[in-house]
Amino acid sequence: VISLTLLTNGGVPLFLTFLTSTKGWQCLTDQCDPEKNLCEQTNLTDADWYSPASKATDKFLKSYKVYCGYEGYFSIISSSYFFGFMIGILIGGKVMDKFGRHKCIWIGIFVYCFTVLMHAGSKTDFRVFGVAHALTGFMSGFIGAIYVYQSELTIGRLRNLGCQIHNETFSIGMLYGAMLSYYIENFALICILLIVPGLFFGLIIAVWIPESPLWLQVNNREE
């Protein structure tokens, strides 16, 4: 159950990589010059071309206008996820050592899902999108101790297997995010579908999964 929450965590950073390329763009009118690239076609409107990479790519590029000289902005925003992730890891570990693994992780999962939804709420404002992406990275790093939490709950002979399942579900989450961005055009719907596993399994953790026995013992809460 703990590992399956990573279906959301793995999907978010990857699905954005499918939303930024104009490579292989195709023209929808007879006004195109095949000798020029997209950015040189100054007579074209967004309705005159599309990106065959995926439906979401085409929608995303045209909504946020991150092409023809603005690609660098998206690179900065993409990097903000990992900057937030780095800070989240440093803070998350300390907070969970103080207040416990269980509470911080299930609350962190729900906050993480909310930051994913913020992407959809950004509409065409790239600044809001950037803030949402940085916060998502921060929360992803914050709940990174879920790996420790899982290992502390798993008995010794199954600990290696549990950790491997943890890694596998993250990889499956990456495939899940890629699949959504390839087949679905609606960006808001992609965000909603990405957080479904996190919300569902996060709720199970909140209600059913106990606190780490090791953390309880270290903090003298053996009762």
Side-chain angles (χ1 to χ4, degrees):
V1 170
I2 295 173
S3 294
L4 288 171
T5 60
L6 296 179
L7 291 173
T8 293
N9 204 9
V12 171
L14 186 68
F15 87 99
L16 290 173
T17 64
F18 288 82
L19 304 179
T20 57
S21 176
T22 57
K23 184 177 181 180
W25 70 279
Q26 297 182 13
C27 190
L28 297 175
T29 72
D30 57 1
Q31 304 298 318
C32 301
D33 184 346
E35 300 299 323
K36 297 180 180 180
N37 62 38
L38 174 62
C39 299
E40 295 174 327
Q41 314 274 340
T42 57
N43 61 317
L44 298 182
T45 66
D46 287 345
D48 295 330
W49 66 275
Y50 78 100
S51 172
S54 73
K55 294 180 179 179
T57 298
D58 186 71
K59 184 76 171 181
F60 185 86
L61 288 171
K62 294 174 180 176
S63 296
Y64 289 98
K65 307 296 183 184
V66 283
Y67 59 89
C68 296
Y70 293 93
E71 296 88 347
Y73 289 99
F74 189 86
S75 298
I76 294 173
I77 297 301
S78 297
S79 300
S80 70
Y81 177 93
F82 298 100
F83 179 74
F85 183 87
M86 176 183 67
I87 298 175
I89 287 179
L90 296 175
I91 295 177
K94 292 293 185 180
V95 172
M96 291 184 189
D97 282 344
K98 182 174 179 61
F99 297 103
R101 316 280 196 244
H102 177 256
K103 182 188 297 184
C104 292
I105 284 175
W106 73 258
I107 293 176
I109 290 171
F110 289 125
V111 176
Y112 175 85
C113 291
F114 174 76
T115 62
V116 174
L117 283 182
M118 285 179 62
H119 288 80
S122 64
K123 298 187 182 296
T124 59
D125 191 332
F126 216 64
R127 292 168 298 182
V128 177
F129 185 93
V131 172
H133 207 47
L135 289 175
T136 301
F138 175 84
M139 291 309 305
S140 180
F142 184 87
I143 62 175
I146 194 171
Y147 190 87
V148 177
Y149 179 48
Q150 179 172 318
S151 66
E152 291 176 353
L153 286 174
T154 309
I155 60 175
R157 61 187 177 86
L158 296 176
R159 189 164 295 139
N160 288 337
L161 176 61
C163 293
Q164 287 302 317
I165 293 174
H166 180 100
N167 293 329
E168 290 298 326
T169 52
F170 188 87
S171 300
I172 294 172
M174 295 174 72
L175 295 175
Y176 177 57
M179 180 189 70
L180 292 178
S181 67
Y182 186 81
Y183 288 106
I184 299 176
E185 177 181 352
N186 189 309
F187 188 56
L189 179 59
I190 292 176
C191 292
I192 292 172
L193 292 177
L194 275 172
I195 68 171
V196 168
L199 289 175
F200 178 75
F201 293 109
L203 182 61
I204 293 178
I205 291 175
V207 175
W208 184 53
I209 306 297
E211 179 57 89
S212 162
L214 179 60
W215 183 86
L216 292 172
Q217 185 177 34
V218 168
N219 288 272
N220 299 316
R221 300 188 182 183
E222 297 182 4
E223 69 281 0

